[in-house]
Amino acid sequence: MLEWMIKGKPLEEYLQACRNADLTTVETDAVLMRMFNTPEAYQLHLENMVKHFGSLDRMRICEIGGGYGGQCKAVFGRFTPNCYHIIDLPEVCELQVRYCRDLLMRSTTKPTGQDYDLVISNYALSEIPDNKLYIDEVVKRSKHGYITCNTDLVQLDFPHSRHPDIKGERETNYILIW
């Protein structure tokens, strides 16, 4: 497993909460919600994506660090992408598969080697100190990107723009878009 900023007891509590999550209360679980966006935040990010990229119908989408699957579910609530892959830790992948069981989504622990129309990462990529694998194997192979950041660990060497994060997030957070 790649090094992640969150370690020790907080990481173990998070992974345990993913393993034991009750799908009827996942969006209000106190431990999980310290790590994931709320459904309302996922909707705001979706609106932002639509503003920048238009319809997500027929897009090939990859999400790095998909949490419980909330962004995936928000996308499928309005659009029909050709594929939606989520790359995450094994315990989190299991939660995503359960939460998004009726959607055409694939959860994996490694990059797939495929090209995408859109890569999404809501804070996850900026929380991986050595994120070069994801940048080389997913980000650089994506036509468009929507990367929310809460650190400056995401360094892109191609044209992109930097935007303020959605309302309600920390003022130091930002979104990288191309």
Side-chain angles (χ1 to χ4, degrees):
M1 177 169 61
L2 291 175
E3 183 180 352
W4 201 38
M5 282 179 48
I6 303 190
K7 299 178 181 356
K9 188 173 181 185
L11 177 59
E12 281 309 310
E13 286 176 353
Y14 165 66
L15 296 177
Q16 186 67 30
C18 288
R19 284 189 288 268
N20 298 330
D22 177 347
L23 295 181
T24 62
T25 61
V26 71
E27 296 171 0
T28 58
D29 182 289
V31 173
L32 294 177
M33 286 301 108
R34 282 197 313 261
M35 305 299 280
F36 301 146
N37 278 333
T38 64
E40 296 79 19
Y42 284 129
Q43 287 298 330
L44 289 172
H45 285 299
L46 178 59
E47 291 302 320
N48 223 2
M49 286 181 240
V50 172
K51 180 176 108 179
H52 289 280
F53 311 121
S55 172
L56 305 187
D57 281 330
R58 294 182 295 287
M59 279 195 171
R60 296 181 49 75
I61 299 172
C62 183
E63 185 175 0
I64 299 170
Y68 62 90
Q71 189 69 71
C72 177
K73 201 166 227 183
V75 168
F76 274 96
R78 285 190 48 199
F79 300 103
T80 307
N82 279 350
C83 80
Y84 199 109
H85 295 160
I86 302 176
I87 303 169
D88 218 319
L89 301 169
E91 296 86 347
V92 188
C93 287
E94 291 171 17
L95 174 57
Q96 293 157 1
V97 168
R98 290 190 301 130
Y99 187 78
C100 299
R101 70 181 172 278
D102 298 329
L103 307 177
L104 296 173
M105 178 276 285
R106 178 176 162 217
S107 193
T108 179
T109 59
K110 298 179 201 153
T112 65
Q114 299 179 37
D115 294 335
Y116 295 98
D117 298 305
L118 175 63
V119 61
I120 301 167
S121 181
N122 287 317
Y123 313 103
L125 191 59
S126 69
E127 294 179 349
I128 302 170
D130 183 12
N131 55 30
K132 184 176 177 358
L133 172 72
Y134 298 104
I135 289 175
D136 290 346
E137 298 295 320
V138 182
V139 171
K140 288 183 176 180
R141 297 182 70 161
S142 299
K143 181 178 178 183
H144 299 290
Y146 186 91
I147 311 294
T148 61
C149 299
N150 53 11
T151 72
D152 288 325
L153 292 175
V154 178
Q155 299 296 312
L156 304 179
D157 61 1
F158 55 86
H160 61 280
S161 56
R162 183 173 166 151
H163 302 263
D165 202 350
I166 61 170
K167 188 176 181 173
E169 292 295 337
R170 286 181 272 167
E171 288 184 21
T172 55
N173 290 359
Y174 57 92
I175 306 168
L176 301 176
I177 296 175
W178 66 94

